[in-house]
Coordinates of all heavy atoms in Angstrom, one line a residue:
M1 N -9.6 -21.5 0.1 CA -8.3 -20.7 0.1 C -7.8 -20.5 -1.3 O -7.3 -19.5 -1.6 CB -7.3 -21.4 1.0 CG -6.0 -20.8 1.1 SD -6.2 -19.2 2.1 CE -4.6 -18.6 2.2
E2 N -7.9 -21.5 -2.2 CA -7.3 -21.4 -3.5 C -8.2 -20.3 -4.3 O -7.7 -19.9 -5.3 CB -7.4 -22.6 -4.2 CG -8.7 -23.3 -4.4 CD -8.6 -24.7 -5.0 OE1 -7.7 -25.4 -4.6 OE2 -9.5 -25.0 -5.8
D3 N -9.4 -20.0 -3.9 CA -10.1 -18.9 -4.6 C -9.5 -17.6 -4.6 O -9.6 -16.8 -5.6 CB -11.6 -18.8 -4.0 CG -12.4 -20.0 -4.3 OD1 -12.1 -20.7 -5.3 OD2 -13.5 -20.2 -3.6
Y4 N -8.7 -17.3 -3.6 CA -8.1 -16.0 -3.5 C -6.9 -15.8 -4.4 O -6.4 -14.8 -4.5 CB -7.6 -15.8 -2.0 CG -8.8 -15.7 -1.1 CD1 -9.0 -16.8 -0.2 CD2 -9.7 -14.7 -1.1 CE1 -10.2 -16.8 0.7 CE2 -10.8 -14.6 -0.2 CZ -11.0 -15.7 0.7 OH -12.1 -15.7 1.5
F5 N -6.4 -16.9 -5.0 CA -5.2 -16.8 -5.9 C -5.6 -16.9 -7.3 O -4.7 -17.0 -8.2 CB -4.2 -17.9 -5.5 CG -3.7 -17.8 -4.1 CD1 -4.1 -18.6 -3.1 CD2 -2.8 -16.7 -3.8 CE1 -3.6 -18.4 -1.8 CE2 -2.3 -16.6 -2.5 CZ -2.7 -17.5 -1.6
R6 N -6.9 -16.9 -7.7 CA -7.3 -17.0 -9.0 C -8.3 -15.8 -9.3 O -8.7 -15.1 -8.5 CB -8.2 -18.3 -9.2 CG -7.4 -19.5 -9.3 CD -8.2 -20.6 -9.8 NE -8.4 -21.6 -8.7 CZ -9.4 -22.4 -8.7 NH1 -10.3 -22.5 -9.7 NH2 -9.5 -23.3 -7.7
I7 N -8.5 -15.7 -10.6 CA -9.5 -14.7 -11.1 C -11.0 -15.2 -10.6 O -11.3 -16.4 -10.8 CB -9.6 -14.5 -12.6 CG1 -8.2 -13.9 -13.0 CG2 -10.7 -13.6 -13.0 CD1 -8.1 -13.8 -14.5
N8 N -11.7 -14.4 -9.9 CA -12.9 -14.8 -9.3 C -14.0 -13.6 -9.5 O -13.6 -12.5 -9.5 CB -12.7 -15.1 -7.8 CG -13.7 -16.0 -7.3 OD1 -14.9 -15.9 -7.6 ND2 -13.3 -16.9 -6.4
T9 N -15.3 -14.0 -9.5 CA -16.3 -13.0 -9.5 C -17.1 -12.8 -8.2 O -18.0 -12.0 -8.2 CB -17.3 -13.4 -10.7 OG1 -17.8 -14.7 -10.4 CG2 -16.6 -13.3 -12.0
D10 N -16.7 -13.6 -7.3 CA -17.4 -13.4 -5.9 C -16.9 -12.1 -5.3 O -15.7 -11.9 -5.1 CB -17.0 -14.6 -5.0 CG -17.6 -14.5 -3.7 OD1 -18.6 -13.8 -3.5 OD2 -17.2 -15.3 -2.8
H11 N -17.8 -11.3 -4.9 CA -17.4 -10.0 -4.4 C -16.7 -10.1 -3.1 O -15.8 -9.2 -2.8 CB -18.8 -9.1 -4.2 CG -19.7 -9.6 -3.2 ND1 -19.6 -9.3 -1.9 CD2 -20.7 -10.5 -3.3 CE1 -20.5 -9.9 -1.2 NE2 -21.2 -10.6 -2.0
K12 N -16.9 -11.0 -2.2 CA -16.1 -11.1 -1.1 C -14.6 -11.5 -1.3 O -13.8 -11.0 -0.7 CB -16.7 -12.1 0.0 CG -18.1 -11.6 0.5 CD -18.3 -12.2 1.8 CE -19.7 -11.7 2.3 NZ -19.6 -10.5 2.9
V13 N -14.4 -12.4 -2.3 CA -13.1 -12.7 -2.7 C -12.4 -11.5 -3.2 O -11.2 -11.3 -3.0 CB -13.1 -13.9 -3.7 CG1 -11.7 -14.2 -4.2 CG2 -13.6 -15.2 -2.9
I14 N -13.0 -10.8 -4.2 CA -12.5 -9.6 -4.7 C -12.1 -8.6 -3.6 O -11.0 -8.0 -3.6 CB -13.4 -9.0 -5.8 CG1 -13.5 -10.0 -7.0 CG2 -12.9 -7.6 -6.2 CD1 -14.6 -9.6 -8.0
G15 N -13.0 -8.4 -2.6 CA -12.8 -7.5 -1.6 C -11.4 -7.9 -0.8 O -10.7 -7.1 -0.4
V16 N -11.3 -9.2 -0.5 CA -10.1 -9.7 0.2 C -8.9 -9.5 -0.6 O -7.8 -9.1 -0.1 CB -10.4 -11.1 0.6 CG1 -9.0 -11.7 1.2 CG2 -11.4 -11.3 1.7
Q17 N -9.0 -9.7 -1.9 CA -7.8 -9.5 -2.8 C -7.4 -8.0 -2.8 O -6.2 -7.7 -2.8 CB -8.2 -10.0 -4.3 CG -8.3 -11.5 -4.4 CD -8.8 -11.9 -5.7 OE1 -9.4 -11.1 -6.5 NE2 -8.6 -13.1 -6.1
Y18 N -8.4 -7.1 -2.9 CA -8.1 -5.7 -2.8 C -7.3 -5.4 -1.5 O -6.4 -4.6 -1.4 CB -9.4 -4.9 -2.8 CG -9.8 -4.3 -4.2 CD1 -10.8 -4.9 -5.0 CD2 -9.2 -3.2 -4.7 CE1 -11.2 -4.4 -6.1 CE2 -9.5 -2.7 -5.9 CZ -10.5 -3.2 -6.6 OH -10.8 -2.7 -7.8
L19 N -7.9 -5.9 -0.3 CA -7.4 -5.6 0.9 C -5.9 -6.1 1.1 O -5.0 -5.5 1.5 CB -8.2 -6.1 2.1 CG -9.5 -5.5 2.2 CD1 -10.4 -6.2 3.2 CD2 -9.4 -4.1 2.6
V20 N -5.7 -7.3 0.7 CA -4.3 -7.9 0.7 C -3.3 -7.1 -0.1 O -2.3 -6.7 0.3 CB -4.3 -9.4 0.3 CG1 -2.9 -9.9 0.0 CG2 -5.1 -10.2 1.3
N21 N -3.8 -6.8 -1.3 CA -3.0 -6.0 -2.3 C -2.7 -4.6 -1.6 O -1.6 -4.1 -1.7 CB -3.6 -5.8 -3.6 CG -2.7 -5.2 -4.6 OD1 -1.6 -5.4 -4.6 ND2 -3.4 -4.5 -5.6
S22 N -3.7 -4.0 -1.0 CA -3.5 -2.7 -0.4 C -2.5 -2.7 0.8 O -1.7 -1.8 0.9 CB -4.9 -2.2 0.1 OG -5.7 -2.0 -0.9
F23 N -2.6 -3.8 1.6 CA -1.7 -3.9 2.7 C -0.2 -4.2 2.2 O 0.7 -3.8 2.9 CB -2.2 -4.9 3.7 CG -3.3 -4.2 4.6 CD1 -4.6 -4.5 4.4 CD2 -2.9 -3.2 5.6 CE1 -5.6 -4.0 5.1 CE2 -3.9 -2.7 6.3 CZ -5.3 -3.0 6.0
I24 N 0.0 -4.8 1.1 CA 1.3 -5.0 0.5 C 1.8 -3.6 0.1 O 3.0 -3.3 0.5 CB 1.2 -6.0 -0.7 CG1 1.0 -7.4 -0.2 CG2 2.6 -5.9 -1.5 CD1 0.7 -8.4 -1.3
F25 N 1.0 -2.8 -0.5 CA 1.5 -1.5 -0.8 C 1.7 -0.6 0.5 O 2.6 0.2 0.5 CB 0.6 -0.8 -1.8 CG 0.7 -1.2 -3.2 CD1 -0.3 -1.9 -3.8 CD2 2.0 -1.0 -3.9 CE1 -0.1 -2.4 -5.1 CE2 2.1 -1.5 -5.2 CZ 1.1 -2.2 -5.9
L26 N 1.0 -0.8 1.5 CA 1.1 -0.1 2.8 C 2.5 -0.5 3.3 O 3.4 0.3 3.8 CB 0.1 -0.5 3.8 CG 0.3 0.1 5.2 CD1 0.2 1.6 5.2 CD2 -0.7 -0.5 6.2
L27 N 3.0 -1.8 3.2 CA 4.3 -2.2 3.7 C 5.4 -1.6 2.8 O 6.3 -1.1 3.4 CB 4.3 -3.7 3.6 CG 5.7 -4.4 3.9 CD1 6.0 -4.2 5.4 CD2 5.7 -5.8 3.5
I28 N 5.2 -1.5 1.5 CA 6.2 -0.9 0.7 C 6.3 0.6 1.0 O 7.4 1.2 1.1 CB 5.8 -1.1 -0.8 CG1 6.0 -2.5 -1.2 CG2 6.7 -0.2 -1.7 CD1 5.4 -2.9 -2.5
G29 N 5.2 1.3 1.2 CA 5.2 2.7 1.5 C 5.8 2.9 2.9 O 6.5 4.0 3.1
G30 N 5.6 2.0 3.8 CA 6.2 2.1 5.1 C 7.7 2.0 5.0 O 8.4 2.7 5.7
L31 N 8.2 1.1 4.2 CA 9.6 0.9 4.0 C 10.2 2.2 3.4 O 11.3 2.7 3.8 CB 10.0 -0.3 3.2 CG 9.6 -1.6 3.8 CD1 9.9 -2.7 2.8 CD2 10.4 -1.8 5.0
I32 N 9.5 2.8 2.5 CA 10.0 4.1 1.9 C 10.0 5.2 3.0 O 10.9 6.0 3.1 CB 9.1 4.5 0.8 CG1 9.3 3.6 -0.4 CG2 9.5 5.9 0.3 CD1 8.4 3.7 -1.6
G33 N 9.0 5.2 3.9 CA 8.9 6.2 5.0 C 10.1 5.9 5.9 O 10.7 6.9 6.4
L34 N 10.5 4.7 6.1 CA 11.6 4.4 7.0 C 12.9 5.0 6.4 O 13.8 5.5 7.1 CB 11.8 2.9 7.3 CG 10.8 2.3 8.2 CD1 11.0 0.8 8.3 CD2 11.0 2.9 9.6
L35 N 13.1 4.8 5.0 CA 14.2 5.4 4.4 C 14.3 7.0 4.6 O 15.3 7.5 4.8 CB 14.2 5.0 2.9 CG 14.6 3.7 2.5 CD1 14.4 3.4 1.0 CD2 16.0 3.4 2.9
M36 N 13.1 7.6 4.5 CA 13.0 9.0 4.7 C 13.4 9.4 6.1 O 14.1 10.4 6.3 CB 11.6 9.5 4.3 CG 11.3 9.5 2.8 SD 9.6 9.8 2.3 CE 8.9 10.7 3.6
R37 N 12.9 8.6 7.0 CA 13.3 8.9 8.5 C 14.7 8.7 8.8 O 15.3 9.3 9.7 CB 12.3 8.1 9.4 CG 10.9 8.6 9.4 CD 10.1 7.9 10.5 NE 8.8 8.4 10.4 CZ 8.2 9.4 11.2 NH1 9.1 10.0 12.0 NH2 7.0 9.7 11.1
A38 N 15.3 7.7 8.1 CA 16.7 7.5 8.3 C 17.5 8.7 7.9 O 18.5 9.0 8.5 CB 17.1 6.2 7.6
Q39 N 17.0 9.3 6.8 CA 17.8 10.5 6.3 C 17.7 11.6 7.3 O 18.6 12.4 7.5 CB 17.2 11.0 4.9 CG 17.6 12.3 4.4 CD 19.1 12.3 4.0 OE1 19.7 11.2 3.7 NE2 19.7 13.4 4.0
L40 N 16.5 11.7 7.9 CA 16.2 12.8 8.9 C 16.6 12.5 10.3 O 16.4 13.4 11.2 CB 14.8 13.3 8.8 CG 14.2 13.7 7.5 CD1 12.8 13.9 7.6 CD2 15.0 15.0 7.1
A41 N 17.2 11.3 10.6 CA 17.5 10.9 12.0 C 18.5 11.8 12.7 O 18.3 12.1 13.8 CB 18.0 9.5 12.0
Q42 N 19.5 12.2 11.9 CA 20.6 13.1 12.5 C 20.8 14.3 11.6 O 20.8 14.0 10.4 CB 21.9 12.3 12.7 CG 21.8 11.3 13.8 CD 23.1 10.6 13.9 OE1 24.0 10.7 13.1 NE2 23.3 9.8 15.0
P43 N 21.1 15.4 12.2 CA 21.4 16.6 11.3 C 22.7 16.4 10.6 O 23.6 15.9 11.0 CB 21.6 17.7 12.3 CG 20.9 17.3 13.6 CD 21.0 15.8 13.6
G44 N 22.6 16.7 9.3 CA 23.8 16.6 8.5 C 24.1 15.2 7.9 O 25.1 15.0 7.2
S45 N 23.3 14.2 8.3 CA 23.6 12.8 7.7 C 23.1 12.8 6.3 O 22.2 13.4 5.9 CB 22.9 11.8 8.6 OG 21.5 11.9 8.5
Q46 N 23.9 12.0 5.5 CA 23.5 11.8 4.1 C 23.3 10.3 3.8 O 24.1 9.6 3.2 CB 24.7 12.3 3.3 CG 24.8 13.9 3.3 CD 23.5 14.5 2.7 OE1 23.0 14.1 1.7 NE2 23.1 15.5 3.4
F47 N 22.1 9.8 4.3 CA 21.7 8.4 4.0 C 21.4 8.3 2.5 O 21.7 7.4 1.8 CB 20.5 8.1 4.8 CG 20.2 6.6 4.9 CD1 21.1 5.7 5.5 CD2 19.2 6.1 4.2 CE1 20.9 4.4 5.6 CE2 18.9 4.8 4.2 CZ 19.7 3.9 4.9
V48 N 20.7 9.3 1.9 CA 20.4 9.4 0.5 C 20.6 10.9 0.1 O 20.6 11.7 0.9 CB 18.9 9.0 0.1 CG1 18.7 7.5 0.5 CG2 17.9 9.8 0.8
D49 N 20.8 11.0 -1.2 CA 21.1 12.4 -1.7 C 19.7 13.2 -1.8 O 18.7 12.7 -1.6 CB 21.9 12.5 -2.9 CG 21.2 11.8 -4.2 OD1 20.2 11.2 -3.9 OD2 21.7 11.9 -5.2
A50 N 19.9 14.5 -2.1 CA 18.7 15.3 -2.0 C 17.7 15.0 -3.1 O 16.4 15.0 -2.9 CB 19.1 16.8 -2.2
N51 N 18.1 14.6 -4.3 CA 17.2 14.3 -5.4 C 16.5 13.0 -5.1 O 15.3 12.8 -5.3 CB 17.9 14.1 -6.7 CG 18.2 15.5 -7.3 OD1 17.6 16.5 -7.0 ND2 19.4 15.6 -8.1
T52 N 17.2 12.0 -4.5 CA 16.6 10.7 -4.2 C 15.6 10.9 -3.0 O 14.5 10.3 -3.1 CB 17.7 9.7 -3.7 OG1 18.6 9.6 -4.7 CG2 17.1 8.4 -3.4
Y53 N 15.9 11.8 -2.1 CA 15.0 12.1 -1.0 C 13.7 12.7 -1.5 O 12.6 12.3 -1.1 CB 15.6 13.0 0.0 CG 14.7 13.3 1.2 CD1 14.5 12.5 2.3 CD2 14.0 14.5 1.2 CE1 13.6 12.7 3.3 CE2 13.1 14.8 2.2 CZ 12.9 13.9 3.2 OH 12.0 14.2 4.3
N54 N 13.8 13.6 -2.5 CA 12.6 14.2 -3.0 C 11.8 13.2 -3.8 O 10.5 13.2 -3.7 CB 13.0 15.4 -4.0 CG 13.5 16.6 -3.2 OD1 13.2 16.7 -2.0 ND2 14.3 17.4 -3.8
G55 N 12.5 12.3 -4.5 CA 11.8 11.2 -5.2 C 11.1 10.3 -4.3 O 9.9 9.9 -4.5
L56 N 11.7 9.9 -3.2 CA 11.2 9.0 -2.1 C 10.0 9.7 -1.5 O 8.9 9.1 -1.3 CB 12.2 8.7 -1.1 CG 13.2 7.7 -1.4 CD1 14.3 7.7 -0.2 CD2 12.7 6.4 -1.8
F57 N 10.0 11.0 -1.3 CA 8.9 11.7 -0.7 C 7.7 11.6 -1.6 O 6.6 11.4 -1.1 CB 9.3 13.1 -0.4 CG 8.4 13.9 0.6 CD1 8.6 13.8 2.0 CD2 7.3 14.6 0.1 CE1 7.8 14.4 2.9 CE2 6.5 15.3 1.0 CZ 6.7 15.2 2.4
S58 N 7.9 11.9 -2.9 CA 6.8 12.0 -3.8 C 6.2 10.5 -4.0 O 5.0 10.4 -4.0 CB 7.2 12.5 -5.2 OG 7.7 13.8 -5.0
V59 N 7.1 9.6 -4.2 CA 6.6 8.1 -4.4 C 5.9 7.7 -3.1 O 4.8 7.0 -3.3 CB 7.7 7.2 -4.8 CG1 7.4 5.8 -4.7 CG2 8.3 7.6 -6.1
H60 N 6.4 8.0 -1.9 CA 5.7 7.6 -0.7 C 4.3 8.1 -0.6 O 3.4 7.4 -0.3 CB 6.6 8.1 0.4 CG 5.9 8.0 1.8 ND1 5.9 6.8 2.5 CD2 5.4 8.9 2.6 CE1 5.3 7.0 3.6 NE2 5.0 8.3 3.7
A61 N 4.2 9.5 -0.9 CA 2.9 10.0 -0.8 C 1.9 9.5 -1.9 O 0.7 9.1 -1.5 CB 2.9 11.5 -0.9
T62 N 2.3 9.4 -3.1 CA 1.5 8.9 -4.2 C 1.1 7.5 -3.9 O 0.0 7.0 -4.1 CB 2.3 9.0 -5.5 OG1 2.6 10.4 -5.7 CG2 1.4 8.6 -6.6
L63 N 2.1 6.7 -3.5 CA 1.8 5.2 -3.3 C 0.7 5.0 -2.1 O -0.2 4.3 -2.3 CB 3.1 4.5 -2.9 CG 3.1 3.0 -2.8 CD1 4.4 2.5 -3.5 CD2 3.0 2.5 -1.4
L64 N 0.9 5.8 -1.1 CA 0.0 5.6 0.0 C -1.4 6.1 -0.2 O -2.4 5.6 0.3 CB 0.6 6.1 1.3 CG 1.7 5.3 1.9 CD1 2.3 6.0 3.2 CD2 1.3 3.9 2.2
I65 N -1.4 7.2 -1.0 CA -2.8 7.7 -1.3 C -3.5 6.9 -2.4 O -4.7 6.5 -2.2 CB -2.6 9.2 -1.8 CG1 -2.3 10.0 -0.6 CG2 -4.0 9.7 -2.3 CD1 -1.9 11.5 -1.0
F66 N -2.8 6.7 -3.5 CA -3.5 6.0 -4.6 C -3.4 4.5 -4.6 O -4.2 3.8 -5.3 CB -3.0 6.5 -5.9 CG -3.3 8.0 -6.1 CD1 -2.3 8.9 -6.1 CD2 -4.6 8.5 -6.2 CE1 -2.5 10.2 -6.3 CE2 -4.8 9.8 -6.3 CZ -3.8 10.7 -6.4
L67 N -2.5 3.9 -4.0 CA -2.4 2.4 -4.0 C -2.7 1.8 -2.6 O -2.7 0.6 -2.6 CB -0.9 2.0 -4.4 CG -0.6 2.4 -5.8 CD1 0.8 2.0 -6.2 CD2 -1.6 1.8 -6.9
F68 N -2.9 2.6 -1.6 CA -3.3 2.1 -0.3 C -4.7 2.6 0.1 O -5.6 1.8 0.2 CB -2.3 2.3 0.8 CG -2.9 1.9 2.1 CD1 -3.1 0.6 2.5 CD2 -3.2 2.9 3.1 CE1 -3.6 0.1 3.6 CE2 -3.8 2.5 4.3 CZ -4.0 1.1 4.6
M69 N -4.9 3.9 0.3 CA -6.1 4.5 0.8 C -7.3 4.2 -0.1 O -8.3 3.8 0.4 CB -6.0 6.0 1.0 CG -5.0 6.3 2.1 SD -5.5 5.6 3.7 CE -7.1 6.5 4.0
V70 N -7.2 4.5 -1.5 CA -8.3 4.3 -2.3 C -8.7 2.9 -2.4 O -9.9 2.5 -2.3 CB -8.0 5.0 -3.7 CG1 -9.1 4.7 -4.6 CG2 -7.9 6.4 -3.6
P71 N -7.7 2.0 -2.7 CA -8.1 0.5 -2.8 C -8.6 -0.1 -1.5 O -9.5 -1.0 -1.5 CB -6.8 -0.2 -3.3 CG -6.0 0.9 -3.9 CD -6.4 2.1 -3.2
V72 N -8.1 0.4 -0.4 CA -8.6 -0.2 0.9 C -10.0 0.1 1.1 O -10.8 -0.8 1.6 CB -7.7 0.2 2.1 CG1 -8.0 1.5 2.7 CG2 -7.7 -0.9 3.1
F73 N -10.5 1.2 0.7 CA -12.0 1.6 0.8 C -12.7 0.8 -0.1 O -13.9 0.3 0.2 CB -12.2 3.1 0.7 CG -11.7 3.9 1.9 CD1 -10.8 4.9 1.7 CD2 -12.3 3.6 3.1 CE1 -10.4 5.6 2.8 CE2 -11.9 4.4 4.2 CZ -10.9 5.4 4.0
A74 N -12.2 0.6 -1.4 CA -12.9 -0.2 -2.3 C -13.0 -1.7 -1.9 O -14.0 -2.3 -2.1 CB -12.2 -0.1 -3.7
G75 N -11.9 -2.2 -1.2 CA -11.9 -3.6 -0.8 C -12.9 -3.8 0.3 O -13.6 -4.8 0.3
F76 N -13.0 -2.8 1.3 CA -13.9 -2.9 2.4 C -15.4 -2.8 1.7 O -16.3 -3.5 2.2 CB -13.8 -1.9 3.4 CG -12.7 -2.2 4.4 CD1 -11.7 -1.3 4.7 CD2 -12.8 -3.4 5.1 CE1 -10.7 -1.7 5.6 CE2 -11.9 -3.7 6.1 CZ -10.8 -2.9 6.3
G77 N -15.5 -1.9 0.8 CA -16.9 -1.8 0.1 C -17.3 -3.0 -0.5 O -18.4 -3.5 -0.4
N78 N -16.4 -3.7 -1.3 CA -16.7 -5.0 -2.0 C -17.0 -6.1 -0.9 O -17.9 -6.9 -1.1 CB -15.5 -5.4 -2.8 CG -15.7 -4.9 -4.2 OD1 -16.6 -4.3 -4.6 ND2 -14.7 -5.2 -5.0
F79 N -16.3 -6.1 0.2 CA -16.5 -7.1 1.2 C -17.8 -7.0 1.9 O -18.4 -8.1 2.1 CB -15.3 -7.1 2.2 CG -15.3 -8.3 3.0 CD1 -14.9 -9.5 2.6 CD2 -15.8 -8.2 4.4 CE1 -14.8 -10.6 3.4 CE2 -15.7 -9.3 5.2 CZ -15.2 -10.5 4.7
V80 N -18.3 -5.8 2.2 CA -19.5 -5.7 2.9 C -20.8 -5.6 2.1 O -21.8 -5.8 2.7 CB -19.5 -4.5 3.9 CG1 -18.3 -4.5 4.9 CG2 -19.4 -3.1 3.1
I81 N -20.6 -5.7 0.8 CA -21.8 -5.7 0.0 C -22.5 -7.0 0.2 O -21.9 -8.1 0.2 CB -21.5 -5.4 -1.5 CG1 -21.1 -4.0 -1.8 CG2 -22.6 -5.9 -2.4 CD1 -20.6 -3.8 -3.2
R82 N -23.8 -7.0 0.2 CA -24.5 -8.2 0.5 C -24.5 -9.1 -0.7 O -24.4 -9.7 -1.5 CB -25.9 -7.8 0.8 CG -26.7 -9.1 1.2 CD -28.0 -8.6 1.9 NE -28.6 -9.7 2.5 CZ -29.8 -10.1 2.2 NH1 -30.6 -9.6 1.4 NH2 -30.3 -11.2 2.9

């Protein structure tokens, strides 16, 4: 268990580290998505202002594409390598 919290050269450990890190970013992206949905829950509600909403939308998309989708495939790839 302690191997997962240190620098390691084992490909399976690196794969698990990638996957754990990816799912942490998935959680952060999901929380940002919840903020966006709270804004859109009722017509005319102002949970966040327009500029903040636009920023949340951009950060949400970028975070989930580049910090979740790409690393999760790399993590699975590292894990299944023989």
Side-chain angles (χ1 to χ4, degrees):
M1 182 69 178
E2 65 186 36
D3 287 343
Y4 296 108
F5 298 108
R6 285 195 248 159
I7 295 174
N8 201 322
T9 57
D10 182 16
H11 63 90
K12 291 208 180 278
V13 172
I14 293 171
V16 170
Q17 289 172 341
Y18 262 104
L19 291 172
V20 168
N21 190 33
S22 296
F23 283 104
I24 289 170
F25 282 114
L26 175 66
L27 178 68
I28 295 169
L31 292 174
I32 293 172
L34 286 174
L35 285 174
M36 291 170 25
R37 287 186 182 268
Q39 173 68 21
L40 300 174
Q42 291 182 347
S45 69
Q46 290 297 315
F47 194 74
V48 295
D49 64 352
N51 287 333
T52 304
Y53 180 81
N54 289 338
L56 286 174
F57 197 88
S58 299
V59 168
H60 170 76
T62 304
L63 191 137
L64 288 180
I65 291 171
F66 295 115
L67 296 178
F68 174 70
M69 290 302 294
V70 173
V72 83
F73 286 123
F76 278 126
N78 268 356
F79 190 76
V80 299
I81 290 176
R82 187 168 194 238

